[in-house]
Amino acid sequence: MVVILGAGLAGLSAACHLGSAETLIVERHDEVGGLCRSFREAGFTFDCTGHLLHVKDPELRRWVQELLPDGWVNLQRSAWIASHGVLTPYPFQANTAGLPLDVRLDCLLGFIETLRDRHRLAAPALPELRPLEPALPFLALAGAAAPDEPSFLAWIHATFGAGFARHFFEPYNRKLFQRDLSEITADWVSWSIPRPELADVLRGAITTTDKSFGYNPEFLYPREGGIDRLPRAIAQRLPRGVLRTGVTVTALDAGRLRVTLDGSETVEGDSVLSSLPLPALARLTTDLPPALREASRALSHVSVRAVNLGVRGPPPHPDAQWIYVPDAATPFYRVGLPSALTPAMAPEGHHALTAEISALPGTLPPPDASIAQSIDALIALGLLRDRADVVHTHVVDIPEAYVVFDRERRRVLPELMRWYVRRGVVPLGRYGAWDYLSMEDCLRHGRQAAAWVARRRA
């Protein structure tokens, strides 16, 4: 039997792709989806936080469309940045037109400076990622960071220049990761941060452009019901008895592939697939060597609070889907406008807003304080007309939200992952693999983990 810990996208995908193999998937919540859950209250639908499905893999795209036939809308990205008193299109580095002239000049001169330096100095190279083993291509890890490897801060300055760093990248990422950017490594940026050419940067400083940048210029979203329609559709494909919800994993004996549920019941398998946050899995693993258990405590993350507001009246921006907010004085780093994804997210005559606040673990203020601060900041930004227009509030806390890529992660992860995989335990998904992943990545992890189980049995 294959025991799967967690019914998020990765775990559900693994169970579905295992087909007829004997499988048990356990989930501590009463609903499937993990962080890909949705909440329906007072006519509004709120996701845990922003979840959009960018699918480039043709096979995965066919699969998700079969799961929800005619249930998707195909959307073009409409993302914006609120800075210096104006809204400019994402990405910042290719859309400075509309910003104050001195800001544009600062960004352009800094970017040109980086081009000159590249002729004299080698550009900072990103570390090579190598699969832990060929049968598990999604567990691709970089080795320990070299003493002279550039930090994320150094990479920003070398890639975009001091102006772009000062006016967007540094304040936004400091707010998101809650630490000095010199403490963060740059091994996560290759797919997530667009790097435009000089012509794109110059054009974007003079006029608006419709050129698409980045990994997510278009995406799928459910026509109604919120993002958890996808995990619920996968769960409906599973054979009866495969899925158990409301069950908590309390221990794992990795050597015996034995999982303890709710403190007493035990189940054993020939493989265990885990999407539990990796530090939590380490705490639950009874036979993990003390040195590895201690090392796992060095894995860092930030927490996120999503302040969801149901608002009377039309949305503040006609087509914005989300807005980045780098200003350090504003409590949230991003605002989502879910009603721009589909009108079904709010009752007629209303819209929804989601303010996302990042914090070090255990430091979030009381929810009422976050609601009040978010409403004040939304009014100041012109994204909310009047606090009296807020007709419903809903707060979601995500204890493990963003993995911090630092030297400790690079030091700990390969040895920890190798220990688990050698015993038949495969960490997968965003938090199991302790990585920065999209929804598509998590679905792919499940598919590849199922293939690994089949090869291992053969």
Side-chain angles (χ1 to χ4, degrees), residues 397-408:
D397 285 343
I398 305 171
E400 292 96 356
Y402 285 95
V403 169
V404 173
F405 282 65
D406 57 14
R407 289 176 175 269
E408 289 301 294

Side-chain angles (χ1 to χ4, degrees), residues 124 149-161 181-182 184 186:
E149 183 176 308
S151 66
F152 178 46
L153 179 63
W155 181 87
I156 289 170
H157 280 262
T159 305
F160 300 109
L181 302 185
S182 63
I184 300 177

Side-chain angles (χ1 to χ4, degrees), residues 102-123:
D102 59 336
V103 173
R104 281 184 282 164
L105 286 174
D106 198 24
C107 291
L108 287 175
L109 291 173
F111 187 76
I112 291 169
E113 188 79 8
T114 68
L115 299 180
R116 188 192 68 180
D117 288 345
R118 287 176 205 174
H119 290 294
R120 295 184 294 130
L121 305 169

Side-chain angles (χ1 to χ4, degrees), residues 4-16 23 25 238 273 275 428-429 442 446:
I4 302 175
L5 313 183
L9 288 185
L12 289 169
S13 174
C16 197
T23 305
I25 178 169
L238 300 178
L273 310 180
S275 64
L428 74 165
C442 293

